[in-house]
Amino acid sequence: MAIGSPFHERTSALNKAQKWKEWGGYFAAEKYQFNHDQEYYAFRESAGLLDVSPLFKYEIRGKDAIKLMNRVLCRDVTRLKDNQVAYTCWCDERGKVLDDGTVARFSPERFRLFSAHPNYYWLLQNAVRLDVEIEDISAGMGALALQGPQARNILSQVIDVDKLRYFHQVVGKVDGFEVVVSRTGYTGDLGYELFVDAANANKLFDAVWSAGQQYNILPAGILALDMVRVEAGFIMIDVDFRSSTYCVTDEQMSTPFEIGLGWTVHMDKGPFIGKSALDKEKREGSGWSLVGLDISLTELEKLFDAKGLPLDLPVSTWRGVVPLFDVITHRQVGYATSGVWSPILKKYIALATVQSRYAKLGSTVKIETLIDTDRRHVSAKVVQKPFFDPARKKSVGKDVALVPALV
Amino acid sequence: MDIDTLILGSDPNALACAASLANQGQKVVILESRIAPGAHYSKEVGLPWRTPYRPRMRRELGLLDEPALDPQAFCPLKDGTHFTLWNDVEKTRQEIARISQADAQAYGGYKAFMDRMIAFAEPLLDQTPVAPDAAHWSSFVDAANLGLRFKGLNKQDALNLMRLGPMCAQDFLEEHFQHPAVVGALALQGFEGRFAGPRSPGTAATLLYHQLAGPRVAMGAVVEDLVAAGARRGVEIRTGVNIDSILIEVGRCTGVRTKDGNTVRATRVVSALDPKRTFLELVAPLELQPDFVRNVGNLKMRGSTALVQLRFSQMPTFKCLNGEDPMPYLKGRIHFGPDVDVLERAFDCVKYGQMSDEPVLEGRFVEPLLLALRVKFVPYGCTEDVGERVLKTLEAYLPDVRSCVKEVTVKTPSDLEKSYGLTGGHLHQGEHNLHQLHFCRPLPGLADYSTPVDRLFLCGSGCHPGGVGTGAAGFNAAREILATNLERAKSAVTTPVGAGLAVGTGVALAGVGALVASMIRKPKKGKEAKNNGHRKPIS
Amino acid sequence: MVVLPEEISDDRSGYKVFMKNYDAIIVGGGHNGLVAAGYLAKAGLKVLVCEKRYVLGGCSVTEEIYPGFRFSVCSYVVSLLRPEIIRDLELPRHGLEILPLPSTFCPQPDGKRYILRTDDSMESYRNVAQFSRKDAEALPRFARQMTRICRFVKPILSMVPPDMDSWNPSELLKLLELGKGFRDMDADLRYDVIKLFTMSAVDYLEDWFESPELIASMSVSGIIGTFLGVRSPGTAYVLLHHYMGEIDGVFRAWGLPVGGTGGISLSIARAAQSYGAEIRTEAGIKQLLMKGDQVQGVVLENGEEIRSKVVMSSTDPFVTFKKLVPSGTLDPKLMDSLKHYKFRGSSGKVNMAVDRLPEFACLPGNGKHLKGDISIAPSVEYLERAYDDAKWGNFSQRPFINVVIPTVSDPSMAPPGKHVISCFVQYAPYKLKDKNWDDERENFGDAVVNTLAEYMPNLKESILYRQTLTPLDMEREMGITEGNIFHGELSLEQMFFLRPIAAWARYRTPVQGLYQCGSGVHPGGGIMGAPGAIGAREVLKDLKSARRTALRS
């Protein structure tokens, strides 16, 4: 059975809906209210508080810590400054993605790696004869994500984050215990992630919770998160791509280039796992690409209308495999893996894997859509990701909360 | 003059590889950490015998011809009787008849069967193993050749050969013999270089494997012989050089760094050290892929043989000979008290990390008063007094052994690891387990003596065909190294013929007609299979 | 007392079958014999099954040994039963129900720790991480590799082994297909296949895992039914053999048949009857009726003669060739080869009726762990010493025990609140040194109970009845030679085209019209049904070509 995270006492008290999912062996709130839309709006208008403790967390210490990180991760961690954080993926020797996550550099001899799947085995396997110590700190550590335009205003009452820049972290104290705050998140908005010893988890939660009251802070669940992460164009492991560790065939695996993470691969650094395969793919091009789709509402409306029905839109993210077709030949050319109606953009958006020649911005494919009981094809245009990218995500000024999102 | 090839280690494989490369005009340098070449084959170690040279290698390098040990095994028994396995079948039958009439009857048939099996399998020793997925045309020829030779075996032999592979030595031998001493004496080779007992499946194959190269010969002056062969061709041996690491620059091996900080550069490096030592200690970990490192780490190299030398002040008395002159019996191997159950019990102990009270002793008088013994089974990290247990066991056969012995030298697997860099104290650089033989020795893809690192090669007994002091692996490696040299830049010829056909796959069996048929059918089917994305079920 | 379904008793009482001619007679009413009968009857043949015992099922049998308690006397769980047989014979319609086992549980002797792997992957991860975090992560990797390997090996389970001796193009092509399959595999997979076929279970598992407790608990699948230790090469294959099963499309899943394993046999029997097969119990066969090289029918133990041109034997090769076929019929050289075929029964069974739910010291109370498969296998050394005991002619003083408590999932097997504990025990060698099983039977049972009691403190006082089966009992009762549950060791030299011996490996025998369909032919033992199904297919093939020849001439 799943178990409670370090914040479970607090989150279960707040969870009016009693809707739970299993995430990494823990109970994770699906939603706190009957409807999750308030939680979604909290992320976009005030601040949502999300328990992300089920993430796997590893601490890598030792003289060769930097060597190990640079060997395993696709990104060049030597380019990171101390207390800088980076998003990255990592691959097996054939260049197939194993997992993605963030890496935080405390010093050249101390890193933390956060991931969706367990990675201890892989780190250990690659640490042969390296002077490093790998510790799985997952169970002993609670993690909270505070995300939304008011996140800074709330958090600065608890800890000094005014000068904290995007993808950087600060090690601070709250009530005498240590908290690591990084300006990162899975919402594509202004936001922070807070890491704390499990013993102090409740205290941190209470501090953030009470500071947030005047800013309408709301606890948020997975459903709301899943909406904002699609808006932000963030892919999710096991949904939009699969880890090669658990794939049975090659076809099920992906390379970083195929899932739009080519930018995290630093080919110019020294040898790392998968380099030669990735090098080859970079030269020869990838067969598949991960794109953002904007699904035609006009067509959708017409189809619903023809059935005598009003337009019905997915108000929470669907996950699965929805086939995409060539406009003329009707051959399958790819598949969409998650999609949602974005209330803030007023668009029906989706993330999809398509054959590379369909990946150009502006090209059109057909997506299979259920119109009540009928399967129909609807046009979808390949558009720029992220769908939603507010300036406040990265800005450092005091009044970021006031900057409108969509300018 | 620039060094063409740098060879790490100086055991017979290293020396054979060096001489053979130098024979083709290469400038070869051998680096050895000890003060003299030979590694664990040098005299002080006390390996009492070895596999003979492969004939081709002996011819090409002009090596000495050494006669087979005769008797193959003189076996004094606990009950005071004895029998001897001579090279001559008839003579051996008479010997066995003394303890078992039925077994004597069976011996001729057994020997004839083994000889036919040897004739079938022996050519494999000289060939570079053919991997099942090999695409090169020459590997097809080898595979088809093997397949045809298999089809050429008589029906019963072919079936018995297939049955033999997975069987245990005891079951296999008991199909022929009944007397535990006869079974014990013949079973012994089944676990040379294995962590297994006579009842462990797979030992029948090892039994055959160890007879392929023919009866054993005296260890003799193998090192001197090979050193001289090298010297005649200009091979240089640098002793006292400790290697720190193998230098790799941009994925290519360029030489080695020594422990005293010097660098020796060469066009290529050939390691005669065991695969674990080469890849896990000398090559920088970041140069190798994680799964490769994992596979190397998983290689089974559990040494379980100790080497003991007993120097006598006078010749001890063999109880079983009742005053008969021992000399004719002592020219070859002596196996003290063979008994298949004793073997198994000794193995039982080593499974739990202990040494049996009654170890298995086989040895040879390498000098008139010097008995070199191979002691089975002694665990790695053994804490028991090996010398004492050996003497105690010997007393049953040589009652006056304690009064005659002057000096006892013991080398346990741990000692062998420490002094000669043999990982796990394993004399063969890797167990002769079925999954570590032929194209899987040391690992699939490495059986052609190449490694994942460009211009780094292996040539030790960790490679095909393994074995003891034959130099065959080194000689074969030299051939492959020269071939790589010729073909560098030329990619392997992957013709449809080659691709369709290497199917001849080891176990082989395919007739030419069917092969041709498959050739015609194959390309089309391959395509189909890919299109529906699933393989056609085999039926 | 008797668990015969009505339909079968009807047939028996009528004795309508007397002196009738049949198209095929099946010797033995075990699951394989019944499967063969089902397929032949479905193809329209007039089929008779003769079972020696009063009850059907052979070793897949449920009997009420103690009033109110029904035991799966021999085999106790199922996984390998081929899905195509379930479909072809419509077994669910005839009463087949299988409940998946949700966990494997391995208590540790310290009374505190345990390895519990369940259908909840993260729960298993956490439990195994108590022993080794690395191993917890290696488990799904291992499972993935097994899945990939099974994909290669599984088709072999439903094929007729190729004739190695033939130059016939179709046989050669079969070999080539196999070779091609092997060749087309990913290199890493191929290496693992080679390892699995040649290594010991422990050696192979050590390539993946580091925790000795986990390795021990997983290695036991490699020794079930064999006379080998977890460190004996060849056991890795048996491990794979046990991984090849599937339930409802889920690989590696094991299940508990409702009504015991006899429930499976009865469902097959009902299916066969629905296609018109006749089934007789207490109809042991004395010998085959022969005319020259051709079989003519069978003689029952009561002297009755029944004629048929086709006889399929689901008994083991020793019984088939030494007892059923009149002596002197077969080539003595081949009989010699059969002498080398190894049976070497190594397992016993202890079934207990208890008055309360057993409780484990390390994990008290009811829970998922009681519903699953429970192994007493605390360490590799423990298992290896158990093997050493047997190797030298004794039963293991501290044996490996595989416990299943079917009543936790299927309450129909015992009165309310009471339970049945089924213990599969290794090692119990058929041949004891200087002792005999009739004297040692209860000592063996005591050794099992004493061992279990170390883990389940409340066991001893809860036992109402204990049934102890030694290999000798299984030979006497079930007719399996030396009590080998697989009709012969599953070692590589007697598998595939070498099972039982090369000349007779393809279901046919040197006797015209006599076929084999028991676990002693490819693909071997376990409640798989494949030998029966493939054997029947071969019979039909031969009949068809005979008919064609007859028509032509």
Side-chain angles (χ1 to χ4, degrees):
Chain A
M1 243 350 255
I3 54 173
S5 85
F7 300 107
H8 192 66
E9 211 180 298
R10 294 291 183 270
T11 51
S12 58
L14 289 167
N15 196 331
K16 301 247 166 47
Q18 287 300 328
K19 289 277 186 190
W20 300 94
K21 272 189 78 162
E22 196 248 52
W23 176 15
Y26 291 92
F27 284 112
E30 204 166 65
K31 53 184 182 180
Y32 285 81
Q33 313 286 335
F34 179 73
N35 261 326
H36 60 279
D37 59 342
Q38 289 308 312
E39 296 162 34
Y40 165 81
Y41 283 114
F43 276 140
R44 290 296 180 230
E45 308 301 341
S46 58
L49 187 60
L50 181 79
D51 178 6
V52 290
S53 306
L55 282 176
F56 287 86
K57 309 173 259 310
Y58 302 93
E59 181 148 311
I60 296 98
R61 287 181 298 262
K63 210 159 73 354
D64 289 336
I66 196 160
K67 258 194 196 165
L68 175 64
M69 289 289 94
N70 241 19
R71 170 171 171 67
V72 170
L73 306 178
C74 289
R75 262 184 112 126
D76 187 354
V77 298
T78 59
R79 293 191 205 172
L80 296 181
K81 296 193 195 70
D82 291 353
N83 280 326
Q84 198 178 347
V85 185
Y87 172 69
T88 181
C89 63
W90 49 101
C91 299
D92 62 20
E93 49 252 73
R94 297 191 305 153
K96 307 291 187 187
V97 178
L98 288 166
D99 204 347
D100 66 339
T102 52
V103 57
R105 170 171 160 157
F106 286 75
S107 75
E109 300 194 356
R110 183 175 172 219
F111 288 82
R112 272 187 191 169
L113 185 68
F114 305 96
S115 61
H117 280 307
N119 277 286
Y120 184 74
Y121 182 97
W122 186 244
L123 291 172
L124 211 62
Q125 192 182 343
N126 286 294
V128 181
R129 282 167 64 210
L130 292 183
D131 181 8
V132 286
E133 195 188 327
I134 302 158
E135 194 191 346
D136 185 337
I137 51 173
S138 309
M141 178 169 277
L144 277 180
L146 179 67
Q147 305 273 317
Q150 298 295 349
R152 166 161 347 155
N153 294 337
I154 296 170
L155 202 55
S156 43
Q157 299 171 55
V158 178
I159 196 165
D160 180 17
V161 290
D162 282 353
K163 288 193 203 74
L164 187 58
R165 284 186 295 142
Y166 189 52
F167 268 93
H168 282 70
Q169 67 173 21
V170 62
V171 185
K173 291 239 155 114
V174 175
D175 265 1
F177 58 84
E178 189 186 275
V179 178
V180 179
V181 181
S182 68
R183 188 163 161 188
T184 48
Y186 202 46
T187 60
D189 210 319
L190 174 66
Y192 302 88
E193 286 171 311
L194 296 81
F195 301 94
V196 67
D197 210 38
N200 299 317
N202 286 345
K203 279 189 251 174
L204 178 69
F205 192 95
D206 294 342
V208 175
W209 184 249
S210 62
Q213 289 313 307
Q214 51 182 322
Y215 293 99
N216 293 341
I217 189 173
L218 277 183
I222 303 288
L223 287 178
L225 179 74
D226 216 4
M227 293 175 74
V228 291
R229 70 103 190 162
V230 176
E231 289 177 345
F234 289 149
I235 51 174
M236 185 180 259
I237 195 161
D238 294 337
V239 175
D240 302 303
F241 70 101
R242 286 186 255 194
S243 163
S244 75
T245 312
Y246 308 100
C247 291
V248 175
T249 65
D250 287 5
E251 211 178 302
Q252 299 176 308
M253 306 175 186
S254 311
T255 65
F257 300 110
E258 288 172 347
I259 55 173
L261 298 185
W263 62 275
T264 67
V265 183
H266 287 157
M267 293 310 290
D268 47 347
K269 71 168 178 173
F272 62 93
I273 299 165
K275 185 176 182 180
S276 55
L278 293 176
D279 204 31
K280 185 163 174 267
E281 184 175 337
K282 198 168 187 186
R283 271 184 280 120
E284 295 172 0
S286 317
W288 297 92
S289 300
L290 202 133
V291 296
L293 293 180
D294 182 353
I295 297 160
S296 166
L297 291 169
T298 335
E299 281 183 35
L300 212 53
E301 227 164 14
K302 262 191 210 147
L303 287 169
F304 273 103
D305 194 46
K307 293 276 285 183
L309 291 167
L311 183 57
D312 182 15
L313 292 165
V315 292
S316 60
T317 302
W318 51 257
R319 300 167 170 192
V321 175
V322 174
L324 301 175
F325 302 93
D326 182 282
V327 176
I328 297 159
T329 64
H330 297 288
R331 281 232 178 103
Q332 190 180 344
V333 297
Y335 49 93
T337 44
S338 29
V340 71
W341 167 251
S342 165
I344 200 160
L345 299 169
K346 304 296 177 218
K347 280 180 182 167
Y348 181 10
I349 55 176
L351 295 172
T353 299
V354 294
Q355 291 170 11
S356 288
R357 63 198 148 107
Y358 293 88
K360 241 179 41 207
L361 289 183
S363 49
T364 309
V365 292
K366 292 275 187 186
I367 183 167
E368 190 180 279
T369 316
L370 200 62
I371 310 294
D372 198 25
T373 52
D374 304 346
R375 289 184 185 280
R376 291 280 183 272
H377 291 184
V378 176
S379 298
K381 209 159 85 182
V382 174
V383 296
Q384 184 79 46
K385 279 185 308 164
F387 303 97
F388 176 75
D389 193 17
R392 63 186 180 224
K393 179 170 82 178
K394 296 184 183 176
S395 69
V396 208
K398 261 259 180 223
D399 49 353
V400 281
L402 303 177
V403 179
L406 295 169
V407 288
Chain B
M1 189 176 157
D2 285 347
I3 303 172
D4 293 314
T5 301
L6 199 57
I7 294 184
L8 314 183
S10 64
D11 70 2
N13 280 312
L15 296 169
C17 185
S20 182
L21 287 173
N23 212 14
Q24 302 296 320
Q26 288 205 1
K27 167 71 185 160
V28 184
V29 172
I30 290 177
L31 301 182
E32 165 60 44
S33 60
R34 299 179 67 85
I35 48 166
H40 54 291
Y41 290 92
S42 48
K43 281 235 172 77
E44 88 263 12
V45 181
L47 276 165
W49 52 78
R50 64 180 170 87
T51 324
Y53 298 130
R54 303 298 306 145
R56 182 150 173 215
M57 174 175 137
R58 192 175 58 226
R59 272 198 313 275
E60 278 188 22
L61 301 182
L63 302 171
L64 300 173
D65 191 3
E66 293 195 30
L69 293 179
D70 199 22
Q72 284 174 29
F74 163 54
C75 308
L77 303 181
K78 237 189 241 161
D79 61 6
T81 59
H82 67 95
F83 70 99
T84 308
L85 303 175
W86 301 95
N87 284 342
D88 183 70
V89 176
E90 194 42 50
K91 212 166 144 194
T92 309
R93 280 177 57 162
Q94 288 164 14
E95 291 273 345
I96 296 177
R98 283 216 306 275
I99 56 168
S100 164
Q101 203 61 44
D103 288 359
Q105 295 267 319
Y107 186 75
Y110 167 77
K111 195 76 180 103
F113 169 71
M114 285 310 263
D115 285 346
R116 291 196 300 275
M117 293 301 103
I118 289 166
F120 163 74
E122 196 192 341
L124 292 177
L125 294 183
D126 301 318
Q127 287 169 0
T128 303
V130 184
D133 55 349
H136 196 280
W137 63 271
S138 68
S139 52
F140 157 63
V141 175
D142 282 350
N145 187 336
L146 183 75
L148 285 175
R149 269 193 296 127
F150 185 85
K151 274 288 190 187
L153 286 177
N154 84 47
K155 184 177 167 179
Q156 205 52 44
D157 280 359
L159 287 171
N160 280 332
L161 180 61
M162 282 187 289
R163 284 182 64 231
L164 186 152
M167 280 176 88
C168 71
Q170 185 168 355
D171 282 347
F172 169 67
L173 290 167
E174 283 181 349
E175 289 188 1
H176 298 269
F177 307 105
Q178 294 154 9
H179 198 285
V182 177
V183 175
L186 291 168
L188 202 60
Q189 282 189 344
F191 21 94
E192 194 164 320
R194 290 202 58 171
F195 192 79
R199 294 202 193 174
S200 304
T203 44
T206 329
L207 190 70
L208 171 62
Y209 171 77
H210 277 289
Q211 297 190 0
L212 288 189
R216 300 294 186 253
V217 299
M219 186 51 79
V222 57
V223 173
E224 290 81 346
D225 192 15
L226 283 162
V227 166
R232 286 197 292 277
R233 294 164 176 84
V235 171
E236 184 190 336
I237 300 178
R238 300 182 190 166
T239 52
V241 183
N242 279 297
I243 297 148
D244 174 67
S245 57
I246 291 171
L247 284 177
I248 296 164
E249 289 164 24
V250 212
R252 175 185 288 188
C253 182
T254 56
V256 299
R257 182 176 295 117
T258 61
K259 284 237 163 86
D260 50 22
N262 292 328
T263 299
V264 187
R265 294 198 176 269
T267 312
R268 70 184 66 76
V269 174
V270 182
S271 170
L273 309 172
D274 71 63
K276 280 197 184 179
R277 188 127 186 266
T278 306
F279 295 116
L280 303 183
E281 287 176 31
L282 298 180
V283 174
L286 301 186
E287 298 293 342
L288 300 169
Q289 296 296 351
D291 272 359
F292 178 78
V293 173
R294 187 179 150 242
N295 282 335
V296 173
N298 280 340
L299 287 176
K300 302 287 176 202
M301 298 172 69
R302 294 165 290 192
S304 56
T305 305
L307 300 171
V308 173
Q309 287 196 339
L310 300 177
R311 193 173 283 283
F312 296 110
S313 50
Q314 66 184 81
M315 193 68 188
T317 325
F318 278 86
K319 192 171 89 181
C320 62
L321 291 177
N322 296 321
E324 194 187 335
D325 174 23
M327 282 335 277
Y329 297 106
L330 301 188
K331 285 187 186 140
R333 210 150 58 104
I334 308 167
H335 184 177
F336 292 94
D339 179 323
V340 71
D341 286 348
V342 171
L343 290 178
E344 184 68 25
R345 284 188 197 281
F347 175 63
D348 279 356
C349 292
V350 82
K351 278 196 303 202
Y352 307 121
Q354 291 150 1
M355 182 188 171
S356 169
D357 287 332
E358 202 177 348
V360 180
L361 305 178
E362 42 164 359
R364 190 175 76 88
F365 279 91
V366 288
E367 285 170 26
L369 289 173
L370 182 62
L371 177 62
L373 289 167
R374 296 167 53 112
V375 185
K376 283 238 152 207
F377 287 89
V378 179
Y380 180 80
C382 155
T383 50
E384 288 92 347
D385 184 346
V386 178
E388 173 52 33
R389 292 210 178 174
V390 167
L391 287 176
K392 209 175 133 208
T393 311
L394 280 180
E395 273 182 319
Y397 313 97
L398 312 168
D400 55 350
V401 66
R402 281 185 199 271
S403 57
C404 298
V405 76
K406 205 165 67 180
E407 188 191 341
V408 182
T409 336
V410 175
K411 289 203 167 61
T412 64
S414 322
D415 298 334
L416 289 166
E417 178 178 72
K418 222 180 295 159
S419 314
Y420 301 96
L422 295 164
T423 306
H426 199 275
L427 289 169
H428 306 70
Q429 301 190 346
E431 291 172 33
H432 292 135
N433 299 343
L434 292 179
H435 77 279
Q436 294 185 173
L437 287 181
H438 202 242
F439 72 90
C440 293
R441 188 169 185 90
L443 282 171
L446 270 64
D448 60 354
Y449 310 93
S450 68
T451 72
V453 180
D454 191 18
R455 301 190 185 202
L456 173 66
F457 297 85
L458 291 177
C459 76
S461 51
C463 304
H464 177 78
V468 209
T470 68
F475 184 74
N476 288 354
R479 184 184 61 225
E480 288 301 314
I481 291 164
L482 291 166
T484 324
N485 216 12
L486 287 173
E487 280 187 28
R488 189 167 288 287
K490 238 193 287 171
S491 56
V493 192
T494 322
T495 61
V497 185
L501 285 182
V503 172
T505 329
V507 211
L509 339 163
V512 174
L515 279 169
V516 173
S518 84
M519 211 166 77
I520 299 161
R521 290 182 42 199
K522 214 117 279 176
K524 211 167 142 200
K525 273 183 64 191
K527 220 180 210 170
E528 256 174 36
K530 242 172 225 144
N531 283 350
N532 353 333
H534 58 79
R535 188 175 298 158
K536 193 169 173 272
I538 303 169
S539 63
Chain C
M1 173 98 182
V2 182
V3 284
L4 285 173
E6 281 168 48
E7 322 68 288
I8 294 178
S9 338
D10 275 356
D11 261 24
R12 251 175 10 118
S13 59
Y15 270 83
K16 291 171 280 191
V17 291
F18 190 66
M19 277 311 285
K20 252 184 121 169
N21 273 334
Y22 288 90
D23 294 328
I25 295 171
I26 315 267
V27 184
H31 65 270
N32 274 318
L34 293 168
V35 165
Y39 274 93
L40 293 181
K42 197 179 175 190
L45 264 56
K46 215 158 77 178
V47 182
L48 173 71
V49 179
C50 296
E51 165 58 41
K52 186 174 82 171
R53 298 191 69 211
Y54 73 98
V55 58
L56 286 172
C59 289
S60 315
V61 66
T62 306
E63 292 180 71
E64 187 172 324
I65 299 291
Y66 182 68
F69 292 82
R70 295 200 295 151
F71 293 168
S72 285
V73 176
C74 297
S75 62
Y76 52 105
V77 284
V78 60
S79 168
L80 295 165
L81 185 60
R82 306 304 309 142
E84 61 267 24
I85 296 175
I86 299 180
R87 284 195 300 271
D88 292 348
L89 300 183
E90 305 170 280
L91 297 185
R93 194 160 73 81
H94 295 286
L96 179 79
E97 278 178 69
I98 297 174
L99 307 166
L101 295 173
S103 66
T104 66
F105 177 58
C106 188
Q108 297 300 309
D110 59 11
K112 294 188 191 89
R113 300 183 310 155
Y114 54 85
I115 291 179
L116 175 62
R117 292 182 290 136
T118 71
D119 47 4
D120 175 347
S121 62
M122 287 315 291
E123 184 180 46
S124 310
Y125 170 87
R126 276 196 304 264
N127 286 336
V128 175
Q130 304 280 321
F131 293 84
S132 157
R133 183 164 303 278
K134 182 168 166 265
D135 288 0
E137 290 189 30
L139 270 172
R141 291 161 199 262
F142 178 78
R144 163 180 179 266
Q145 194 72 343
M146 289 297 127
T147 308
R148 293 172 73 207
I149 291 170
C150 286
R151 222 181 82 83
F152 168 73
V153 182
K154 240 183 68 182
I156 297 177
L157 290 186
S158 11
M159 81 187 275
V160 179
D163 186 352
M164 298 306 274
D165 194 43
S166 161
W167 286 91
N168 179 332
S170 75
E171 293 298 321
L172 285 173
L173 277 175
K174 219 190 264 180
L175 283 175
L176 275 170
E177 285 284 356
L178 274 179
K180 188 177 170 342
F182 188 63
R183 185 193 140 84
D184 288 348
M185 255 192 268
D186 287 347
D188 70 307
L189 210 56
R190 187 165 44 232
Y191 188 40
D192 263 356
V193 168
I194 293 170
K195 283 180 167 184
L196 274 167
F197 275 87
T198 59
M199 283 173 96
S200 76
V202 167
D203 280 355
Y204 184 72
L205 290 167
E206 279 176 350
D207 278 5
W208 290 89
F209 306 105
E210 59 181 15
S211 148
E213 292 88 354
L214 181 70
I215 291 173
S217 78
M218 293 177 76
S219 67
V220 292
S221 305
I223 52 170
I224 288 187
T226 75
F227 200 162
L228 290 171
V230 286
R231 279 203 184 278
S232 305
T235 48
Y237 172 74
V238 185
L239 189 78
L240 178 72
H241 193 86
H242 283 95
Y243 261 95
M244 246 172 323
E246 58 189 293
I247 285 178
D248 303 337
V250 180
F251 262 139
R252 309 183 312 274
W254 282 80
L256 195 69
V258 171
T261 50
I264 299 178
S265 306
L266 291 186
S267 73
I268 307 171
R270 288 194 200 101
Q273 282 176 324
S274 77
Y275 301 121
E278 289 175 36
I279 297 172
R280 289 175 63 177
T281 51
E282 291 174 283
I285 284 167
K286 199 155 101 201
Q287 210 163 45
L288 297 183
L289 272 175
M290 303 282 297
K291 186 170 156 198
D293 254 1
Q294 164 74 45
V295 78
Q296 295 293 320
V298 297
V299 188
L300 297 191
E301 267 159 7
N302 63 13
E304 184 187 341
E305 289 186 7
I306 308 176
R307 302 210 165 251
S308 169
K309 294 271 189 218
V310 172
V311 174
M312 291 190 83
S313 169
S314 68
T315 62
D316 69 49
F318 186 85
V319 175
T320 306
F321 296 110
K322 286 259 169 131
K323 295 196 179 150
L324 295 182
V325 176
S327 61
T329 316
L330 296 166
D331 180 356
K333 239 192 185 162
L334 293 178
M335 293 304 281
D336 243 21
S337 312
L338 188 66
K339 232 177 18 206
H340 300 317
Y341 184 72
K342 292 188 287 268
F343 287 97
R344 300 188 182 167
S346 61
S347 33
K349 189 84 196 293
V350 175
N351 298 310
M352 287 180 268
V354 292
D355 64 5
R356 71 196 85 153
L357 195 62
E359 191 149 315
F360 279 91
C362 61
L363 187 56
N366 198 346
K368 218 188 250 176
H369 64 293
L370 294 183
K371 281 197 165 198
D373 163 287
I374 302 161
S375 292
I376 305 299
S379 71
V380 171
E381 185 170 334
Y382 176 100
L383 295 168
E384 197 61 27
R385 289 205 188 271
Y387 166 59
D388 284 350
D389 280 347
K391 196 160 72 180
W392 301 114
N394 306 306
F395 62 79
S396 312
Q397 287 307 312
R398 281 286 173 269
F400 154 61
I401 309 174
N402 191 200
V403 181
V404 171
I405 311 168
T407 37
V408 181
S409 318
D410 177 10
S412 74
M413 303 292 280
K418 311 253 191 301
H419 290 275
V420 168
I421 304 180
S422 153
C423 308
F424 174 84
V425 191
Q426 256 175 267
Y427 299 83
Y430 175 75
K431 289 179 190 133
L432 289 178
K433 197 180 172 190
D434 310 326
K435 287 180 204 141
N436 73 69
W437 268 120
D438 286 320
D439 299 338
E440 291 297 310
R441 183 178 299 106
E442 294 313 317
N443 293 340
F444 171 62
D446 290 346
V448 173
V449 171
N450 289 338
T451 306
L452 275 182
E454 286 172 19
Y455 300 86
M456 309 162 153
N458 73 348
L459 177 70
K460 277 191 185 168
E461 65 261 30
S462 69
I463 300 175
L464 299 172
Y465 179 79
R466 183 177 90 194
Q467 178 196 29
T468 307
L469 261 93
T470 68
L472 183 69
D473 300 326
M474 289 192 236
E475 183 180 64
R476 282 181 189 154
E477 263 308 301
M478 316 296 167
I480 48 176
T481 305
E482 295 192 15
N484 184 303
I485 62 170
F486 291 150
H487 290 197
E489 282 259 72
L490 277 186
S491 52
L492 281 186
E493 73 270 21
Q494 28 192 59
M495 306 247 327
F496 205 35
F497 52 78
L498 295 173
R499 192 170 184 89
I501 65 166
W504 307 336
R506 293 150 47 73
Y507 306 91
R508 294 163 187 84
T509 69
V511 178
Q512 282 287 310
L514 175 65
Y515 294 79
Q516 305 166 82
C517 66
S519 297
V521 276
H522 176 74
I527 307 180
M528 181 152 38
I534 310 175
R537 211 164 65 203
E538 292 304 291
V539 168
L540 293 172
K541 215 189 277 172
D542 284 359
L543 288 177
K544 202 168 152 196
S545 68
R547 213 173 308 138
R548 211 179 294 141
T549 324
L551 274 177
R552 224 176 276 145
S553 58

